[in-house]
């Protein structure tokens, strides 16, 4: 794998990196010369991912645990001595279903994982390295954060909050640290399998670009946003959806994807 971007000597911390988008992002950074510190809940999956990545260290655990995020930051600093990039990819899509049936405690967990954890990790990276040396943050959001859809109210609402947090941090941490979001459409990850596994090929070709997304599509966007090629960009949300929002003008012959307005990162 080759990369058009140069990250030699830099260090990236990526959450939810044992599979799917997180792993693709970590692989992209390694291909571009960076060293990576990765985390995920699945210890075995993370061990396999770390071995596959090569120049990487990993720490298994949940981003919902504040102590885990502190240890993750300490690991990156102890092993590599710096943190140039943070990618907040880990997420939960629970509770799934109508909000009138949602357990308020499960609702709170969605915000703990999808909003609070990204803030905590950026705080740690800022205090450990970025305040003095600068850096870049990308939060993985979702194309569905700007409108409503069935069964994923907690996920969509928490990701909408993450979008606002992205803009708020961009304003507060400038000019030294750039903070942006990438909002995917429907991507073939395990976490989103319940959506794309039932989406037939006719529906997929109803998108202007003719296919569903792959993890590498999102990784490419993340690498671009964190590279010097995007050094005058902060506080933005980069939509990577295969043309979901313009398919009405595209006039597809097939029915639109059901639940296709949501990306569920492979945490």
């Amino acid at each position: 794998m080759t990369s058009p971007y140069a990250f030699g000597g830099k260090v990236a911390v990526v959450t939810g990196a044992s599979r799917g988008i997180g792993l693709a992002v970590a692989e992209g950074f390694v291909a571009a010369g960076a060293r990576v510190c990765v985390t995920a809940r699945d210890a075995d999956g993370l061990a396999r991912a770390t071995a596959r990545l090569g120049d990487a260290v990993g720490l298994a655990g949940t981003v919902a645990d504040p102590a885990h995020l502190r240890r993750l930051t300490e690991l990156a600093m102890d092993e590599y001595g710096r943190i140039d990039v943070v990618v907040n990819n880990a997420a939960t899509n629970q509770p799934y279903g109508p909000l009138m049936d949602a357990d308020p405690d499960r609702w709170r967990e969605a915000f703990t994982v999808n909003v609070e954890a990204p803030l905590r990790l950026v705080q740690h990276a800022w205090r450990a390295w970025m305040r003095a040396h600068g850096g870049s943050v990308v939060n993985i959001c979702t194309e569905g954060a700007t409108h409503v859809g069935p069964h994923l109210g907690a996920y969509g609402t928490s990701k909408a909050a993450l979008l606002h947090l992205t803009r708020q941090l961009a304003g507060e941490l400038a000019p030294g640290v750039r903070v942006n979001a990438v909002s995917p459409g429907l991507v073939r990850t395990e976490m989103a399998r319940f959506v794309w596994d039932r989406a037939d090929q006719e529906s997929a070709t109803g998108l202007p670009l003719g296919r569903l997304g792959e993890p590498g599509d999102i990784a490419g966007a993340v690498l671009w946003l964190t590279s010097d090629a995007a050094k005058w960009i902060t506080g933005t949300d980069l939509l990577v959806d295969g043309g979901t929002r313009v398919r009405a003008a595209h006039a597809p012959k097939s029915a639109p994807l059901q639940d296709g307005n949501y990306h569920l990162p492979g945490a």
Side-chain angles (χ1 to χ4, degrees), residues 18-168:
S18 64
R19 62 185 187 182
I21 289 172
L23 179 56
V25 168
E27 288 178 323
F29 279 121
V30 170
R35 294 165 292 179
V36 296
C37 180
V38 294
T39 187
R41 292 168 296 177
D42 178 5
D44 292 339
L46 185 66
R48 290 191 294 270
T50 304
R52 174 173 166 175
L53 290 167
D55 199 352
V57 292
L59 182 67
T62 173
V63 297
D65 178 9
H68 173 69
L69 297 173
R70 184 183 66 253
R71 290 193 298 268
L72 180 68
T73 305
E74 292 171 348
L75 175 63
M77 293 301 295
D78 289 345
E79 290 291 327
Y80 299 133
R82 59 192 296 158
I83 300 174
D84 301 283
V85 177
V86 169
V87 179
N88 287 302
N89 171 67
T92 180
N93 65 343
Q94 300 298 315
Y96 179 81
L99 290 184
M100 292 303 96
D101 298 332
D103 181 339
D105 290 332
R106 299 295 303 281
W107 165 271
R108 192 174 300 114
E109 288 176 14
F111 282 81
T112 298
V113 172
N114 297 350
V115 187
E116 181 182 319
L119 173 60
R120 286 184 181 274
L121 184 54
V122 173
Q123 287 177 332
H124 287 309
W126 167 261
R127 293 162 184 163
W129 178 262
M130 289 184 174
R131 173 164 47 190
H133 305 281
S136 183
V137 175
V138 169
N139 296 320
I140 304 299
C141 292
T142 175
E143 190 273 337
T146 59
H147 50 261
V148 301
H151 306 305
L152 287 164
Y155 179 79
T157 305
S158 63
K159 288 295 188 175
L162 182 59
L163 276 177
H164 187 82
L165 176 65
T166 299
R167 299 184 184 103
Q168 182 69 31

Side-chain angles (χ1 to χ4, degrees), residues 138-143 163 166-167 180-185 217-218 220-225 230 233 235-241:
V138 169
N139 296 320
I140 304 299
C141 292
T142 175
E143 190 273 337
L163 276 177
T166 299
R167 299 184 184 103
N180 293 290
V182 169
S183 286
D217 295 319
I218 312 307
V222 172
L223 261 71
W224 177 72
L225 267 181
I233 299 175
T236 194
D237 176 30
L238 179 58
L239 187 65
V240 186
D241 69 347

